[in-house]
Amino acid sequence: MIGPVSLALRSITHHRVRTLLLVLCIALVAALPLAIQLLMLRHESTITTRATDTPLVVGAPGSRFDLLLHSLYFRTTPARTLSLADAERIGEERIEERPLATAIPLFLDDTARGHPLVGTTLDYFPFRGLQVSRGTLPQLLGDAVVGEEVAESLGVGVGDPLLTDSGRLYDIGSTYPLRLRIVGVLARSGGPDDRAVFTSLRTTWVVRGLGHGHESLDADSDPALLLGTGEGAVTASAAVRTWTEITDENRSSFHFHGEADAWPVSAIIVVPRDPRSGTILRARLSVDPLLESIEPREVLDETLSIVLRVKRFFDANTLLVGTATALLLILVFALDWKVRQRERETLLKIGASRGWILRVATIELLLILGAGAFVAVGSVILGVLALDRTFGI
Amino acid sequence: MSSATPGTPHLRGARVRCEELGFRHPGGDSSLSLASVDLEPGSRTAVIGPSGSGKTTLLHLIAGILSPDRGTVTLDDEVISGLPEAARRRRRLAGIGLVFQEFELLEHLSVRENISLPFAIDPALGSEGRSGRVEELAGRLGLGPLLRRHPRRLSHGERQRVAIARALVVGPRLLLADEPTGNLDPRTGAVVLDQLFAEAERAGTTVLVVTHDHSLLARFEQVIDLESPEPGGGS
Ligand SMILES: Nc1ncnc2c1ncn2[C@@H]1O[C@H](COP(=O)(O)OP(=O)(O)O)[C@@H](O)[C@H]1O
Ligand SMILES: [Mg+2]
């Protein structure tokens, strides 16, 4: 009929307010360190994996950490850029007639509807193990592939247009939005690539205003095309024309002024052919004062050691709060034990053993601790899920 | 001496014998000593005496809650005062019902759960036919409609009847009641005592009741007066 467990449960539900306070108290104290631990674990593995997978990155001299954030996570833009010539030169580095490495240039200075717009070569996709789940990789000027999360959050797919934002990534500037054409969606990879838009380098240069096309269409031929006209319509209807589009008709007219070598590249991912080539290349690059080369894992470890120091402080703090709470809980349970002395005496007089009474009390304690832990874990999981959805960690 | 009424299992009340009992609470100044007490099976005995004369102590000695400093308590043919605590506890749980002045119900349990408490403590107790027993006993004590209530929503009379049901649910051979009507008004007290006697008589249970109310003494076959603590003595 009723046993120790149901007796403990009756007591718990009878002292509702006390139980609720205790459970919340335990949950609060347990949730914070649990959440930090979980976030650290998840973050650390996703971040470090990407850094470990990227052997060498070259950028313009400046902050090593900024270069890391820029080239791996598409955050921040470096103050200075390199040129395409630098990428080509690194790709040409040879020993005994064999190239030492593949150089994958990146140019990232703009966004498309809030997502980083990454210009790169087709080498980037196999290097990161990225494949399209729908459509194709960008082949033509104006083609774009989007990460899975971009497609999801913007509700766009293959064949849809995608406008770039006027103004630079993390900076205020002004460029005319370019209407990109989505030709593919990348399969989810669980990293920053899911949240980025990829095009050819040339497309990003057009977005930056470094290249342009000359309009040959009739301004009044088609309202849709009118909106899509390029340079030719600027003076005629600046108010109407809010963006530029690269079409099959005008694609060939797009061109770039200036030396091809000087076109900008914001970072170069260098993939050595083998470890020995990597060592030789690093040595050669380190003497070039115009280049900054970093090993992402090394830079990340320096940074993580700071984070770890902060975490250690947090841990000490948690330990203190935890100890204080534990003492408080002990006090509450001790008071409760005293208040219920009469009840225990009754049970003893009726014929219950001390062991049985202790068992019921222990079950009650464990149920409360368990409920606290359950609420803590539950809220942490819900919180992490919510964070995932909001920030895509 | 009375036997079970037809229709209930035949149970004989316990014979209780106390001899040359002496007990002093650790740290207490007064001591209890009794020449001899004899409770016939199925008999009804009252214990009277002023406050502090040792009435509760005597009950606890017979119940085996306390162990006497000298003398013996014999339950039927077994000297329980010499048994280790655990053995006394088991005898008490299965064979001795206790009713207290303050009811001593568990506030967080319903009437049904309070009555079933001995079964919760030892599931092996009266495992056959116990499911109907709670309802049957509660019904006879007028608690049928109150089984799901909690003690705080009961009158004092109802609470004491729940306590009586709890004491009797395992079918004890001895019922010890410590001022069971002390917290009840005289009318309710008389009714509750009637019910206690009726239930005890059904099963032939031996009854020992501590009371302050001398008007009730006529209903007992034997009275133990602890008035003069030192020499002690029976009725
Ligand atoms: N736990 C105890 N410790 C010390 N002395 C006690 C204890 N319980 C009772 N006493 C003393 O023993 C004597 C008898 O107490 P008790 O049996 O409760 O008397 P009664 O039930 O007749 O009022 C009293 O003097 C009381 O003060
Ligand atoms: Mg007393």
Side-chain angles (χ1 to χ4, degrees), chain A residues 143-164:
Chain A
D143 284 358
V145 290
V146 295
E148 176 72 39
E149 281 179 40
V150 176
E152 229 166 64
S153 68
L154 299 182
V156 294
V158 175
D160 289 336
L162 179 64
L163 272 187
T164 64

Side-chain angles (χ1 to χ4, degrees), chain A residues 10 14 346 348-349 351, chain B residues 89 92 98 102 104 113 152:
Chain A
R10 295 291 189 284
H14 185 75
T346 302
L348 279 173
K349 282 191 283 186
Chain B
R89 182 182 64 72
R92 181 161 75 248
L98 284 143
E102 307 277 354
E104 306 198 19
E113 290 160 345
R152 66 174 178 282

Side-chain angles (χ1 to χ4, degrees), chain A residues 150-186:
Chain A
V150 176
E152 229 166 64
S153 68
L154 299 182
V156 294
V158 175
D160 289 336
L162 179 64
L163 272 187
T164 64
D165 303 315
S166 55
R168 308 178 123 153
L169 176 64
Y170 312 114
D171 191 8
I172 312 151
S174 192
T175 47
Y176 274 113
L178 179 73
R179 187 170 153 133
L180 301 170
R181 197 165 58 94
I182 298 174
V183 297
V185 177
L186 295 174

Side-chain angles (χ1 to χ4, degrees), chain A residues 1-4 6-7 10-11 14-15 340 342-343 345-354 356, chain B residues 60 65 85 89 92-93 98 100 102 104 106-109 113 116-117 120-121 130-131 134 152 166:
Chain A
M1 207 182 290
I2 51 171
S6 42
L7 277 175
R10 295 291 189 284
S11 168
H14 185 75
H15 304 107
R340 293 167 71 180
R342 184 79 191 269
E343 187 181 313
E345 277 170 6
T346 302
L347 289 168
L348 279 173
K349 282 191 283 186
I350 288 175
S353 66
R354 279 171 217 286
W356 186 84
Chain B
H60 286 182
I65 295 167
E85 205 217 290
R89 182 182 64 72
R92 181 161 75 248
L93 182 62
L98 284 143
F100 313 99
E102 307 277 354
E104 306 198 19
L106 267 56
E107 290 297 316
H108 55 273
L109 299 184
E113 290 160 345
S116 317
L117 197 56
I121 295 170
R130 82 180 185 204
S131 57
V134 175
R152 66 174 178 282
R166 179 180 67 188

Side-chain angles (χ1 to χ4, degrees), chain B residues 25-26 28 30 50-57:
Chain B
H25 282 283
S30 57
S51 220
S53 57
K55 304 183 294 294
T56 299
T57 305

